[in-house]
Amino acid sequence: MKNTITFHTGQAVPLDRDNVDTDQIIPKQFLKSIKKSGFGENLFDAWRYEDEGFPGQDVSKRKLSENFILNQSRFLDSDILISKKNFGCGSSREHAVWSLMDYGFRVVIAESFADIFYNNCFNNGLLPIVLSSNEIDKLLALSHERKIIEIDLENQVIFSEDSQVAQFEIDPFRKKCILEGLDEIGLSLTHSEQIKEFEKKRALDSPWIFINEKKNG
Amino acid sequence: MPNTLYDKLWNLHEVDLRADGTYLLYIDRHLIHEVTSPQAFEGLKLAGRKPWRISANIATPDHNVPTTNRSKGLEGIDDEVSKLQVITLDDNCKEHEILQFDINDHRQGIVHVVGPEQGLTLPGMTIVCGDSHTSTHGALATLSMGIGTSEVEHVLATQCLKTSKLKNMRVVISGELQKGVTAKDVTLAVIGKIGTAGGTGYAIEYAGSVIENMSIEGRMTVCNMAIEAGARAGLVAYDLTTEKYIENRPFAPSGDQWIQATKQWSQLVSDDNAFFDHEITIDGSSIAPQVTWGTSPEMVSDIDGLIPESTSDSIKHALEYMNLESGKKIKDIQLDQVFIGSCTNSRIEDLREAAKILEGKKVSDSIKRAIVVPGSGLVSDQAIREGLDKIFIESGFEWRAPGCSMCLAMNPDQLGDGEHCASTSNRNFEGRQGYGGRTHLVSPATAAASSIEGSFVDVREYL
Ligand code: SF4
């Protein structure tokens, strides 16, 4: 039995595929925005709608693809996404994370993640969890049954109906960042003196690296 | 202790260990383009921060710029949303006095073509950009990685990347390549072998006689697609080829500094007996021209191969999307469009390779459109000096202005629904080149030869 505060409790949707790439998560035509918000309605656009999407459209008028799992009525309110290998591969676009969050996802669980996407998740407070393929299969089954999934980030455990489904690994600091929302830049800037020292030395050793401005224009 | 090239580059840039166990890695060069930077500049402003070292940054618009109507500058961008993004880059660069090759500058181009071409990419540097194909620059013995927008903001504010150390992988391509087989075929064959997640968590150093004998352009093509194998960074050791490539480039050091620099750079090789966590060897002479048939770069075949059986859901899904049947010959795939360009294959050598095949020949009538998009204004100028533009135009190709173009189709260059395209770019993801578009990744030589035939051909038989 569990007795700690959960990080997140919700319904999971199974996206039973390998190599879900960031071009699928948010197609390029939506990257033209200079904002971070508003990407949710175009999440998985090509899979989600019957027609081709473009920015600024009224999505309520578009026909949804019935077969796409996110559109099935029993999964409409999902906020946990479950997928398989190499999730988030391809382009470095952070828009992929912004669109997952804007749609309402708080947690993505997969067998593995592409490196850049994984980093982007933590920089925005989206929790990525890596599990073995057996555990993923268990969760896929539970999500098909519409079981509530509970994520106890503190203890790194996933529950469903009070019984433990899986345990997961996460870097302690990253966990802290997700729980407390730390300012990464602020933290790095506490090292300003060391950065300045390093920079001075680098300019002495390899001055050509610092010559760019002289050639400007 | 013997070190790998990656270890050496890391050691040269490690600033400090943060309390969380991640390292601050000093960033020598930060490349900026219009798509992944606006939110980073915005974040900086909201937090009241300023860029740490202006001169580390260099910007150019590439993803959104049109490849026609370029004499009109910004006014040539019809799409208002794209235009706003390019203008936002202009504004941010002006505000912070960041050097930009803007849409009207003849040095403008794809950021990964421009950096090396200008000598802004120098051996021993750490380079980052909000673009996954930053791995390209590793061809010049740099540690170069793609980053997300939050990291762009972090690098702007601190001149450091917060990161952990990667593991070392070495991919050795031994022997010699067959005639007609190019760097693109090498990099696709490697991905076919190790898979799109095979390099996750690693920096891949490419080595062996094939790489040693390769031009810098070819090495960039190979490193460009390291990310398609899951690796954040690709690397090639420094050698005389690197030195010759850099000498006299606009931002390269000169005089005494050149002597000092080349002396330092000569250390940028993996030591004998350096430890690699993983090592594979591929016999270069066994590599045939490669063609992808699916929707992930690992779904790749030799030119004389067949579309595979659908043994998994991923393959089944890919074949449905590509409208291809198992057992069909790769050579029987009919093409609608041909695209020569992208940061993988838009350098002068790529254009020469394609033009050589197209000279005196015509693009098949069955091809609806064939376009060639040079990687930068300077590549374009050079090609025009060599008369390559004429060869392309006479054969039926459209000669365009530099940019990312149909690599990701954010500008008007796009595939139609269901169209098959022989593309020299790096990603064959669903819809990447246009809604419903079907991309086959190939070398410039294969793209050129196949444009003549209207279907895939073995370029070795064309030489
Ligand atoms: S050419 Fe393609 S892969 Fe390269 S930077 Fe542009 S969009 Fe990205």
Side-chain angles (χ1 to χ4, degrees), chain B residues 293-305:
Chain B
W293 48 265
T295 53
S296 158
E298 69 188 5
M299 295 174 167
V300 66
S301 163
D302 289 356
I303 177 71
D304 39 23

Side-chain angles (χ1 to χ4, degrees), chain A residues 23-24 28 31-32 35 47 90-91 94 119 173 183-184 188 191 199 202 205-206 212 215-216, chain B residues 16 18 20 26 28 39 49 52 55 79 85 99 149-150 154 232 250 264 408 427 430-432:
Chain A
D23 275 78
Q24 290 318 319
K28 72 253 163 179
L31 309 188
K32 293 175 183 177
K35 299 206 229 69
W47 287 344
S91 151
E94 201 155 316
N119 283 333
F173 184 79
D183 170 15
E184 285 280 1
S188 291
H191 298 255
E199 196 164 52
R202 184 105 185 104
D205 291 348
S206 309
N212 156 347
K215 306 245 178 160
N216 197 348
Chain B
D16 213 354
R18 295 197 332 173
D20 61 334
Y26 188 78
D28 295 321
Q39 295 87 351
R49 293 176 174 135
W52 179 283
S55 71
D79 180 341
Q85 217 169 38
L99 173 57
T149 297
S150 298
H154 189 280
R232 244 182 134 174
Q264 253 183 44
L408 95 165
R427 286 188 176 137
E430 287 178 34
R432 168 96 178 172

Side-chain angles (χ1 to χ4, degrees), chain B residues 155-174:
Chain B
V155 170
L156 279 169
T158 68
Q159 210 50 51
C160 289
L161 182 68
K162 182 211 89 161
T163 190
S164 318
K165 221 173 160 184
L166 297 167
K167 287 183 288 180
N168 282 289
M169 182 188 301
R170 181 155 61 186
V171 174
V172 177
I173 318 287
S174 62

Side-chain angles (χ1 to χ4, degrees), chain B residues 68 121-122 130 161 245 251 273 309 314 329 356 391 409 450:
Chain B
T68 51
T121 299
L122 295 171
L161 182 68
Y245 177 90
F251 290 86
N273 303 322
E309 293 303 317
S314 301
K329 282 189 187 149
K356 204 163 89 195
I391 297 176
S450 305

